[in-house]
């Protein structure tokens, strides 16, 4: 399940993508628009900045901006940077592979084959959807900026 940290990060990034801002956006504006608690968003932006998704500017006209066009930032990239691997088990991970200690024959493991397929399907969707895609989609953009349940 996607953590609240990741959900809020995606909501904030999607807001920045939908604004098409040419100047830094104040964190209070982002927090209000994305319905994310400001203090939590400040911590999230530290991670997003460290992972190269946003840059910050200090001062009265300061705030945050995307480092790349929204069309170059995929959901998969953002989620991996915060959550780690998309795979449900280590032996099915492409970037964070780890063998299972209790598996005598990985090549014949039915569980691994199913989890590899699940990871491939999930990665295909998340890696091929960008912030720009979601910002353009009226069904996605609106739902990302509504209050959490």
């Amino acid at each position: 399940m996607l953590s609240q940290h990741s959900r809020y990060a995606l909501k904030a990034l999607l807001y920045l993508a939908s604004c098409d801002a040419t100047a830094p956006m104040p964190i209070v504006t982002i927090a209000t628009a994305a319905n994310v608690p400001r203090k939590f968003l400040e911590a999230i932006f530290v991670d997003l900045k460290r992972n190269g998704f946003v840059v910050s500017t200090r001062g009265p006209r300061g705030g945050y901006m995307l480092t790349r066009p929204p069309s170059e930032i995929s959901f998969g990239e953002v989620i991996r940077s915060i959550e780690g691997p998309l795979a449900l088990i280590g032996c099915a991970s492409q970037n964070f592979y780890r063998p299972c200690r209790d598996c005598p024959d990985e090549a014949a493991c039915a569980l691994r084959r199913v989890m590899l397929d699940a990871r491939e399907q999930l990665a295909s969707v998340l890696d091929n959807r960008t912030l720009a895609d979601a910002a353009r989609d009226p069904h996605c953009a609106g739902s990302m900026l509504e209050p959490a349940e």
Side-chain angles (χ1 to χ4, degrees):
M1 188 175 292
L2 201 58
S3 71
Q4 191 74 329
H5 191 92
S6 292
R7 284 188 66 233
Y8 285 167
L10 287 166
K11 287 174 72 170
L13 290 172
L14 184 55
Y15 177 74
L16 289 174
S18 67
C19 289
D20 198 28
T22 57
M25 185 70 59
I27 196 161
V28 68
T29 302
I30 301 166
T32 301
N35 196 30
V36 176
R38 181 181 172 175
K39 281 292 187 189
F40 197 17
L41 191 58
E42 288 171 357
I44 290 168
F45 270 115
V46 169
D47 289 341
L48 293 174
K49 186 176 174 183
R50 185 185 70 240
N51 290 318
F53 295 109
V54 297
V55 292
S56 64
T57 304
R58 292 179 179 246
R61 296 180 190 254
Y64 291 90
M65 290 181 63
L66 296 175
T67 57
R68 296 177 273 155
S71 61
E72 294 178 13
I73 301 174
S74 75
F75 277 73
E77 180 184 7
V78 174
I79 292 169
R80 280 187 194 91
S81 77
I82 296 169
E83 302 282 343
L86 297 176
L88 297 174
I89 57 177
C91 67
S93 178
Q94 189 171 36
N95 299 323
F96 302 93
Y97 172 82
R98 190 177 66 248
C100 298
R101 292 186 211 171
D102 59 345
C103 187
D105 184 5
E106 192 174 87
C109 180
L111 178 61
R112 180 173 190 260
R113 284 195 304 273
V114 170
M115 293 299 136
L116 281 168
D117 188 41
R119 186 209 18 99
E120 287 300 319
Q121 296 293 319
L122 182 59
S124 175
V125 171
L126 295 175
D127 291 338
N128 289 301
R129 289 292 303 263
T130 67
L131 296 177
D133 296 331
R136 279 192 304 267
D137 183 342
H139 297 100
C140 286
S143 66
M144 281 297 290
L145 299 178
E146 290 176 4
E149 297 175 13

